[in-house]
Amino acid sequence: AEPSVQQTMLGVTMLGAVVGSPLSGLVAERSGRVPATILGETLSLLGTLAGALAASLAFFTAARFCVGVGIGICTMCKPLYVSETVPVERRGTILALFAPAIAVGILLAQSWPVALSVFSPEKPPLDGEVIPSYQYDEDLTPDAVADGSSWMWRAQLLTGVVPPAIILAVAFLIMPESQAWKDTQATLANKRERGASAPDAVSYTHL
């Protein structure tokens, strides 16, 4: 059987995460842990918002890939940031919360359609029957993306904007840069300075 559009979108998101993970290492080492977090959350926020407003399946696919890149970046840089900033006695506890947090997020995402059914108690009749919205099989199809009246899945996606927006605000206002990263950059700068003067020292040695 051919994969459904939902399965394809999941695959595209995971592909984006594969691209984002190594990219995270480059950004985190060159620019810092906080800029890497800001980049990942910004991509997640913009990708989610673009997906909720998408008017074509191609645009929606690109948006999900963008979300995947953000996920890949954050999956790598956040544990790295915690390992460098949280005191040793609490570090293991904080890092252990990552897996339960992901599980809780999945549970909330799967439960959200039921909450939305409060605002849309009934769906249009299907074969003469009225079906509750949380039981209605509204598959994500090219027609559903192009159809502006299919708002339920768009509302689900829009709620995904909230977590990255909160983290972005915290990153901009509160999160200090990792001292370990600062020390590493200072060490590298000193090595570059010494390296620049090294030829003179060597030439004098051989005189």
Side-chain angles (χ1 to χ4, degrees):
E2 295 184 0
S4 66
V5 177
Q6 293 95 324
Q7 292 171 326
T8 303
M9 292 303 103
L10 178 60
V12 168
T13 304
M14 294 300 100
L15 179 61
V18 171
V19 173
S21 293
L23 178 63
S24 176
L26 295 176
V27 177
E29 288 301 318
R30 292 177 179 271
S31 302
R33 300 355 180 185
V34 174
T37 299
I38 291 175
L39 175 62
E41 295 298 345
T42 300
L43 289 173
S44 297
L45 189 153
L46 294 179
T48 302
L49 184 61
L53 302 177
S56 69
L57 191 60
F59 190 83
F60 185 78
T61 302
R64 297 312 298 171
F65 181 82
C66 181
V67 171
V69 174
I71 292 173
I73 292 175
C74 292
T75 301
M76 182 270 185
C77 69
K78 289 179 180 178
L80 177 62
Y81 180 82
V82 169
S83 68
E84 294 179 346
T85 57
V86 176
V88 176
E89 61 271 15
R90 291 187 293 167
R91 189 175 300 163
T93 302
I94 300 298
L95 288 173
L97 291 175
F98 273 81
I102 293 173
V104 170
I106 294 173
L107 176 62
L108 291 176
Q110 296 295 328
S111 302
W112 188 237
V114 180
L116 286 178
S117 67
V118 175
F119 302 98
S120 179
E122 293 184 347
K123 278 286 183 179
L126 182 66
D127 294 333
E129 297 179 356
V130 176
I131 302 175
S133 60
Y134 62 88
Q135 295 178 354
Y136 188 79
D137 186 17
E138 187 178 33
D139 287 338
L140 184 61
T141 64
D143 292 337
V145 175
D147 183 9
S149 62
S150 55
W151 63 271
M152 182 70 74
W153 64 270
R154 296 181 189 273
Q156 290 179 246
L157 283 178
L158 282 175
T159 58
V161 173
V162 177
I166 294 174
I167 296 173
L168 274 175
V170 172
F172 274 117
L173 300 175
I174 300 175
M175 285 175 62
E177 186 52 81
S178 166
Q179 188 60 46
W181 180 81
K182 291 181 179 180
D183 293 342
T184 301
Q185 296 303 305
T187 301
L188 292 175
N190 290 334
K191 286 184 177 180
R192 284 193 294 266
E193 291 177 1
R194 288 197 298 268
S197 60
D200 291 339
V202 172
S203 61
Y204 291 142
T205 302
H206 287 280
L207 287 177

